Amino acid sequence: MTETPAGGDVRLVGISKTYGTSFTAVHPLDLTVPQGTFFALLGASGCGKTTTLRMIAGLEDPTTGSVLLGDQDVTRLPPHKRPVNTVFQSYALFPHLTIHENIAFGLRRRGIRSVGKQVAEMLDLVQLGDFARRRPHQLSGGQQQRVAVARALINHPQVLLLDEPLGALDLKLRRQMQLELKRIQTEVGITFVHVTHDQEEAMAMADTVAVMNGGRVEQLGDPTELYETPRTAFVANFLGTSNLIDAETVSGAGGEVAVTAGGTVLRLPADRCATAPRSGDRLLVGIRPEKISLVHADDAATVPTGRNRFAGTVAAASFLGVSTQYLIDSPAGRKLEVYVQNIERDTRLTPGAPVVLHWNPAHTFALDPEPQSPDAPAPEAPGTDPAPQVPAATGDSA
Ligand code: ATP
């Protein structure tokens, strides 16, 4: 199928949902999903992503705001009058009908008799041409989900909504189906809006990901941008893992910011700071575990100049096959995570070993510090950390 349906962007304008008198599941939200893109709503259970999807589908009435598809305001239209179809986690196929008839269902309901060509096209699209005569129970979970996608797409919706469609599949099949769904979306060119709590799934498929937290979109962007430049601690840790280190700004000049953390000076690009830092500001410096290199302290002289670096001690090492995960205690932070690919393993890097962590300053990002809850314990005073048995590091020592 090469036809691109006429339509337009999905636009949510000030849309919100309050249940009862006081519980707000979705706070007023403005969001545009460009036509023909794969868009993911990503977040933990209860963050409001399904409610948002259901408001697009017409299955939930928004408390405020509007849903627009292209120029059409569909806010008051019932689900079946919207040019939208939904695929749910439960495939909801008709067990007594063949795969062919399951896919033909939407056309037959609209009184279309000659369905053979379109059903064949759909079967080809989801690569189930040989399964037309089977019944759903004779297919695997992944195959049944492909039938559900074909059954929705045969109606030529302007937008396909997918509510955790791969949630019932085992991990390996889920990874295969992610590629499959991405291929199908690219081929049909229809807007897909996908709801998932699985960050890898969102990143593998979506052109744009909206990370939701507590009924709000915390950050929206393409997967690389979200991963490389998270703007909040929630996003930094919901998409993968981040080491977040308490630091204080020393200076910012020429597009570069210098901060101190645990007595060490670190540098980072000014445009990777969530807000423009001023001297004396506290912030959280972030670095992804896979961006950090680790050397034994005896080899500290091999670390190239210009790198951000820390001295530390190996607290734990876990061999994970493709990589080894180290936890490092340092004056700047405890249990900093480092992932080292298992190419040539340094067998000296065992618990207790003195090490130097180093990374490209360009990979560092900075976030505003988390607001302190009044009940939170006071931060430890510098120098009271009992773990690191290393000399205080500076930007060029170690
Ligand atoms: P999950 O991944 O678990 O489905 P979600 O992010 O999709 O979570 P929603 O289903 O959108 O979350 O629900 C958001 C919040 O709204 C949750 O706290 C949920 O309990 C609440 N909620 C959802 N539906 C209703 C309802 N009909 N009445 C009251 N509260 C509801």
Side-chain angles (χ1 to χ4, degrees):
M1 195 169 83
T2 51
E3 176 188 353
T4 302
D9 301 346
V10 178
R11 280 190 295 142
L12 308 183
V13 183
I15 202 162
S16 75
K17 181 70 189 178
T18 300
Y19 290 109
T21 51
S22 58
F23 179 70
T24 302
V26 178
H27 293 271
L29 177 64
D30 293 308
L31 198 65
T32 298
V33 181
Q35 182 187 355
T37 60
F38 201 131
F39 188 91
L41 287 166
L42 170 70
S45 180
C47 71
K49 53 195 187 298
T50 300
T51 304
T52 305
L53 195 82
R54 288 172 62 83
M55 290 194 282
I56 302 173
L59 298 167
E60 205 75 70
D61 285 332
T63 308
T64 63
S66 315
V67 180
L68 290 102
L69 298 179
D71 292 331
Q72 192 189 6
D73 186 336
V74 299
T75 318
R76 304 279 155 235
L77 287 185
H80 65 277
K81 293 249 170 88
R82 299 186 185 199
V84 164
N85 263 127
T86 309
V87 175
F88 297 98
Q89 179 174 332
S90 58
Y91 326 120
L93 302 179
F94 299 112
H96 57 288
L97 296 183
T98 62
I99 300 312
H100 182 282
E101 283 307 313
N102 263 284
I103 294 175
F105 183 79
L107 298 181
R108 296 223 191 273
R109 201 173 50 173
R110 284 189 277 141
I112 299 168
R113 283 165 171 269
S114 175
V115 299
K117 183 164 172 291
Q118 289 192 62
V119 173
E121 267 181 19
M122 281 298 143
L123 281 165
D124 276 353
L125 177 72
V126 297
Q127 297 179 337
L128 287 175
D130 297 337
F131 296 79
R133 301 284 145 225
R134 291 202 194 176
R135 292 202 155 67
H137 74 273
Q138 295 168 311
L139 300 188
S140 72
Q143 290 164 340
Q144 289 185 51
Q145 195 54 291
R146 272 143 66 188
V147 176
V149 169
R151 190 180 55 174
L153 286 176
I154 205 163
N155 299 319
H156 296 286
Q158 197 172 312
V159 183
L160 188 71
L161 306 175
L162 302 122
D163 190 359
E164 299 269 8
L166 310 181
L169 307 179
D170 68 47
L171 188 63
K172 204 162 179 183
L173 193 51
R174 223 157 68 206
R175 297 287 174 249
Q176 279 172 16
M177 277 295 292
Q178 289 163 11
L179 298 175
E180 220 11 43
L181 277 178
K182 180 72 191 162
R183 178 191 62 78
I184 291 169
Q185 192 273 335
T186 310
E187 211 167 316
V188 297
I190 287 174
T191 310
F192 278 28
V193 182
H194 178 96
V195 156
T196 181
H197 62 271
D198 179 340
Q199 47 109 6
E200 250 184 72
E201 182 164 308
M203 291 205 283
M205 294 195 289
D207 302 304
T208 307
V209 178
V211 183
M212 289 191 75
N213 183 24
R216 292 186 168 86
V217 171
E218 285 238 351
Q219 194 175 342
L220 181 145
D222 71 54
T224 318
E225 177 191 339
L226 286 180
Y227 187 83
E228 299 294 351
T229 322
R231 293 292 176 188
T232 67
F234 178 82
V235 175
N237 279 314
F238 198 79
L239 272 84
T241 305
S242 298
N243 293 299
L244 297 179
I245 301 166
D246 274 318
E248 185 179 321
T249 308
V250 184
S251 69
E256 192 181 70
V257 173
V259 302
T260 53
T264 300
V265 175
L266 303 173
R267 293 187 166 76
L268 71 148
D271 61 4
R272 289 174 62 79
C273 298
T275 45
R278 292 159 310 172
S279 241
D281 279 355
R282 306 232 35 108
L283 40 73
L284 287 174
V285 163
I287 180 74
R288 296 285 189 183
E290 74 280 8
K291 310 275 199 219
I292 302 176
S293 304
L294 203 57
V295 295
H296 192 276
D298 290 350
D299 299 338
T302 64
V303 176
T305 53
R307 307 271 289 175
N308 281 335
R309 57 193 285 166
F310 265 128
T313 309
V314 176
S318 312
F319 178 76
L320 302 176
V322 67
S323 64
T324 299
Q325 178 187 339
Y326 295 95
L327 294 180
I328 308 294
D329 286 336
S330 89
R334 311 267 321 255
K335 308 281 181 288
L336 299 177
E337 284 192 48
V338 180
Y339 304 153
V340 179
Q341 261 196 300
N342 286 324
I343 301 168
E344 282 154 3
R345 295 180 59 226
D346 186 340
T347 51
R348 295 171 297 171
L349 301 185
T350 53
V355 289
V356 176
L357 298 74
H358 62 99
W359 68 91
N360 183 344
H363 294 154
T364 319
F365 56 87
L367 309 174
D368 298 334
E370 294 283 84
Q372 282 286 316
S373 117
D375 305 328
E380 276 174 8
T384 58
D385 185 343
Q389 301 297 312
V390 290
T394 68
D396 295 305
S397 70

